[in-house]
Amino acid sequence: MGEFKNIVVNGKIDAYIRSQTAPQLPAQRKLVERTHALGDLAEMQIPHEQGMLLTLLVKILAAELVVEVGTFTGYSGLSLALGLAAGGKVITLDRSEEWLDLASEAWQEAGVAELIEFRLGPARESLFALPDSPEIDLAFIDADKVGYIDYWEQLVPRLRAGGLILADNVLYRGEAADDNATGNARAIREFNDHVLADRRVESVLLPVADGLTIARKRTR
Ligand SMILES: C[S@@+](CC[C@H](N)C(=O)[O-])C[C@H]1O[C@@H](n2cnc3c(N)ncnc32)[C@H](O)[C@@H]1O
């Protein structure tokens, strides 16, 4: 009884979820429209309710240092920055600056541009260049799926005790649940197993958008 509580979210329910989430800022709405104009690529952008969840988690932690892997057009970076405590910053990493103008414009418009530092290059190298000290309050991984375990391994030691590490697309359109998954879905499956076996954190995998893992670094 109560084994399958999760519902299948169709378009109508999806729209309802969005309508019952705190409204987007004009800068967020505009960024969604501009990203949409990029065509199929736009599906890389996190949806508004996930952005709101990121903002809330950053606020709950009173986070001062947030690291994001995968900037794209900046929606998630903006959501993270909106939650920062006074004096806080988001460091966001991407190997491409193709969409940086779109991101910067939205960050300016929302009044958070000064709080966001973009670092260009392969995430593996940008993460390696971060200080070793455990001072990150929250990290969000949303880039190439085959890199997730590497990013996780670089981020968890740099996370403060009690800090959160989040990973996006952990259901990979549902394909990650398939024993015979291949390609990116296989990489995500291996990542999910890696997270579950990691005693440094306690975690939950949630059906938020394309699947979101939220893990907290243990305090003891
Ligand atoms: C799914 S998108 C990120 C979406 C973004 N979080 C948002 O909500 O708008 C993935 C991003 O990761 C970047 N990326 C992919 N592989 C990367 C790598 N090895 N190093 C750094 N960035 C990478 C891509 O250029 C792309 O912008």
Side-chain angles (χ1 to χ4, degrees), residues 44-46 70-72 76 94-95 99 121-123 142-144 151:
M44 295 208 290
Q45 183 175 57
I46 61 161
T71 315
F72 187 41
S76 48
D94 207 295
R95 67 177 171 196
W99 308 287
D142 186 17
D144 53 319
Y151 307 149

Side-chain angles (χ1 to χ4, degrees), residues 6-190:
N6 293 331
I7 57 164
V8 175
V9 177
N10 59 25
K12 183 176 162 192
I13 298 170
D14 202 43
Y16 182 70
I17 290 171
R18 227 145 283 166
S19 75
Q20 295 303 315
T21 299
Q24 285 175 315
L25 298 173
Q28 289 176 307
R29 270 204 306 276
K30 222 181 269 181
L31 180 56
V32 169
E33 280 168 24
R34 288 176 182 160
T35 304
H36 195 73
L38 298 175
D40 290 347
L41 280 181
E43 74 167 32
M44 295 208 290
Q45 183 175 57
I46 61 161
H48 173 52
E49 67 278 8
Q50 189 177 352
M52 193 63 212
L53 177 61
L54 294 183
T55 304
L56 290 175
L57 291 173
V58 172
K59 283 191 180 178
I60 289 165
L61 285 178
E64 292 177 13
L65 181 58
V66 172
V67 174
E68 170 180 65
V69 185
T71 315
F72 187 41
T73 61
Y75 194 95
S76 48
L78 171 52
S79 305
L80 293 163
L82 288 171
L84 286 173
K89 73 170 168 182
V90 174
I91 297 175
T92 182
L93 317 175
D94 207 295
R95 67 177 171 196
S96 168
E97 52 186 349
E98 192 178 341
W99 308 287
L100 186 58
D101 286 349
L102 275 180
S104 299
E105 217 171 304
W107 299 340
Q108 290 283 356
E109 211 170 320
V112 297
E114 304 302 312
L115 313 180
I116 305 178
E117 194 181 313
F118 174 78
R119 296 194 185 168
L120 179 64
R124 176 181 235 282
E125 288 163 31
S126 301
L127 288 171
F128 193 68
L130 291 176
D132 285 337
S133 46
E135 55 192 23
I136 298 172
D137 296 298
L138 183 144
F140 178 52
I141 303 173
D142 186 17
D144 53 319
K145 309 311 159 200
V146 291
Y148 270 34
I149 291 179
D150 185 23
Y151 307 149
W152 178 271
E153 281 307 313
Q154 294 216 50
L155 284 163
V156 171
R158 293 180 166 96
L159 205 63
R160 70 155 165 89
L164 295 181
I165 177 163
L166 281 64
D168 198 23
N169 308 109
V170 290
L171 290 173
Y172 209 76
R173 305 185 185 98
E175 291 171 33
D178 189 340
D179 285 344
N180 302 314
T182 56
N184 280 339
R186 159 73 38 197
I188 285 290
R189 250 183 106 79
E190 286 166 7

